[in-house]
C-alpha cells in the first residue's frame, strides 16, 4: 500500500497509504483505493483522515479521480468495532471531522467518479454520495442501517443522500433497514451507470479519463458552481450562472476549443 513509483515521495500520501488509502496515477486520473478488504473497507478514524489527506493533496497532474474499494466490497460503513463512547461535544467534533474529509472529496480540485461494488452501506454510502459520478456493478447493494442500530448518519449523509434519492426514501431506509440492489439503486438515483459485475472500476476509469480531457475551469465550475446554483433561488442561480459562464468562456483554453470547433478541427456530437 504505497504510492505509485511514478509519484514523487510525499510523506502525507505515504501516511495515508499506511492508514488504508492508496493512490496511483493512471495518466491524468488519480486512482484512490480503500485497502481494508479484511474489514470490507469499513471506515475508521485512520481511514477517514487518510481520505482527507489524499484528496487535499492530489498530485498536480491529476485532472480527475476515481475511488474504489479493494476486495469484494466498496465500503461496508462505519467500523463498529472501533466505535467509542463519546459525550455530545466529542461526538459533534468527530462528525465534523468526517465532514471535512468528505467535503475534500466533493469540493476538491477535480471531479471524482466512484466505482461501486458489493456493500455500499452506511458511511460507505455517505462516501459514494460525495462523489460526482457513481458507477455501480450488478453486485452492488445500498443500505443505511444506522436507524436500526440506534445511531444516526454523521458523515454528511443527511444532506447528500436525499439529493440523490429524496428525503422520503432515505427516511424509509433508516426506519426499516431497507436494502436496494444495483437495479433498484440505479432506478432511484444512487448511481448514474450500472455495469456488469467486475467492471465498475474499468468503466469509472474510462469516464474519468474522458473527464480529464475537459477544460479544468469548466470541470471546476461543474463540480463547484452547479451544486450551489441548485440550492439558490432561481434569480440568484441565473445570476451565478451568468458569472460562471463568462469566467469559463474567457479562459484561453475555452477560446482555443471553440476556435477548433469553428474551424472544423473538433468532433461534432454524434448519437451513441
Amino acid at each position: 500500500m504505497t504510492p505509485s513509483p511514478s509519484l514523487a515521495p510525499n510523506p502525507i500520501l505515504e501516511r495515508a497509504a499506511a492508514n488504508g488509502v492508496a493512490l496511483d496515477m493512471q495518466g491524468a486520473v488519480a486512482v484512490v483505493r480503500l485497502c481494508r478488504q479484511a474489514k470490507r473497507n469499513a471506515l475508521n478514524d485512520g481511514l477517514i483522515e487518510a481520505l482527507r489527506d489524499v484528496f487535499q493533496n492530489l498530485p498536480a497532474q491529476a485532472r480527475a479521480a476515481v475511488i474504489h474499494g479493494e476486495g469484494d466490497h466498496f465500503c461496508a460503513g462505519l467500523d463498529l468495532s472501533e466505535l467509542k463512547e463519546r459525550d455530545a461535544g466529542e461526538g459533534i467534533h468527530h462528525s465534523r471531522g468526517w465532514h471535512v474529509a468528505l467535503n475534500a472529496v466533493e469540493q476538491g480540485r477535480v471531479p471524482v467518479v466512484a466505482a461501486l461494488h458489493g456493500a455500499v452501506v452506511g458511511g460507505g454510502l455517505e462516501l459514494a454520495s460525495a462523489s460526482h459520478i457513481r458507477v455501480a456493478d450488478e453486485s452492488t447493494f445500498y443500505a443505511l442501517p444506522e436507524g436500526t442500530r440506534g445511531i444516526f448518519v454523521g458523515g454528511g449523509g443527511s444532506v447528500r443522500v436525499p439529493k440523490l434519492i429524496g428525503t422520503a426514501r432515505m427516511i424509509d431506509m433508516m426506519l426499516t433497514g431497507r436494502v436496494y440492489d444495483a437495479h433498484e439503486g440505479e432506478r432511484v438515483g444512487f448511481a448514474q451507470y450500472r455495469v456488469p459485475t467486475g467492471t465498475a472500476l474499468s468503466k469509472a476509469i474510462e469516464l474519468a479519463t474522458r473527464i480529464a480531457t475537459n477544460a479544468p475551469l469548466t470541470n471546476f465550475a461543474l463540480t463547484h458552481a452547479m451544486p450551489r446554483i441548485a440550492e439558490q433561488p432561481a434569480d440568484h442561480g441565473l445570476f451565478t450562472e451568468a458569472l460562471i459562464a463568462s469566467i469559463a468562456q474567457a479562459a484561453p483554453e475555452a477560446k482555443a476549443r471553440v476556435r477548433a470547433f469553428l474551424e472544423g478541427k473538433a468532433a461534432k456530437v454524434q448519437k451513441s
Side-chain angles (χ1 to χ4, degrees):
M1 297 187 296
T2 58
S4 167
S6 63
L7 296 174
N10 184 320
I12 294 175
L13 297 181
E14 291 172 356
R15 182 181 66 199
N19 283 327
V21 179
L23 167 69
D24 298 290
M25 292 300 300
Q26 293 196 24
V29 176
V31 180
V32 179
R33 295 180 287 117
L34 307 182
C35 306
R36 295 188 82 213
Q37 57 180 299
K39 288 278 193 176
R40 303 204 306 172
N41 295 317
L43 301 171
N44 60 7
D45 288 347
L47 200 68
I48 287 294
E49 291 171 6
L51 280 167
R52 178 201 66 200
D53 290 345
V54 166
F55 279 96
Q56 288 181 344
N57 294 276
L58 291 176
Q61 65 266 38
R63 294 180 66 159
V66 167
I67 183 167
H68 76 109
E70 291 187 344
D72 296 331
H73 301 279
F74 174 72
C75 177
L78 176 66
D79 188 344
L80 293 177
S81 70
E82 298 188 20
L83 187 63
K84 301 176 182 177
E85 289 191 9
R86 298 181 176 90
D87 64 28
E90 291 169 336
I92 289 172
H93 289 300
H94 185 257
S95 178
R96 294 298 284 164
W98 279 54
H99 294 164
V100 170
L102 298 195
N103 283 348
V105 177
E106 182 182 31
Q107 300 172 8
R109 186 171 56 81
V110 302
V112 180
V113 183
L116 308 179
H117 68 293
V120 183
V121 171
L125 181 51
E126 293 184 290
L127 173 57
S129 69
S131 303
H132 304 103
I133 295 177
R134 287 159 297 281
V135 180
D137 80 9
E138 294 285 0
S139 72
T140 305
F141 60 96
Y142 309 89
L144 290 168
E146 288 86 347
T148 60
R149 290 175 180 159
I151 56 178
F152 195 77
V153 290
S158 62
V159 172
R160 294 189 177 98
V161 175
K163 291 178 181 177
L164 300 181
I165 65 169
T167 301
R169 282 197 175 98
M170 181 173 178
I171 292 174
D172 174 38
M173 291 178 73
M174 294 191 71
L175 286 175
T176 68
R178 181 173 182 174
V179 178
Y180 283 88
D181 64 20
H183 177 78
E184 294 168 327
E186 181 192 29
R187 177 178 59 81
V188 300
F190 280 127
Q192 294 102 315
Y193 296 84
R194 179 165 54 93
V195 297
T197 299
T199 65
L201 179 57
S202 60
K203 179 65 175 180
I205 291 174
E206 173 194 327
L207 292 170
T209 300
R210 186 185 311 167
I211 291 166
T213 67
N214 295 340
L217 187 56
T218 298
N219 279 348
F220 188 84
L222 288 170
T223 56
H224 286 255
M226 278 287 291
R228 289 172 169 82
I229 290 170
E231 296 292 327
Q232 293 177 334
D235 184 57
H236 294 189
L238 292 171
F239 186 72
T240 303
E241 176 187 89
L243 292 175
I244 296 299
S246 64
I247 292 169
Q249 70 186 28
E253 184 170 348
K255 294 178 180 179
R257 286 171 182 245
V258 172
R259 187 163 54 248
F261 178 80
L262 294 174
E263 294 172 355
K265 297 176 183 177
K268 293 181 172 60
V269 175
Q270 300 289 335
K271 183 178 178 181
S272 297

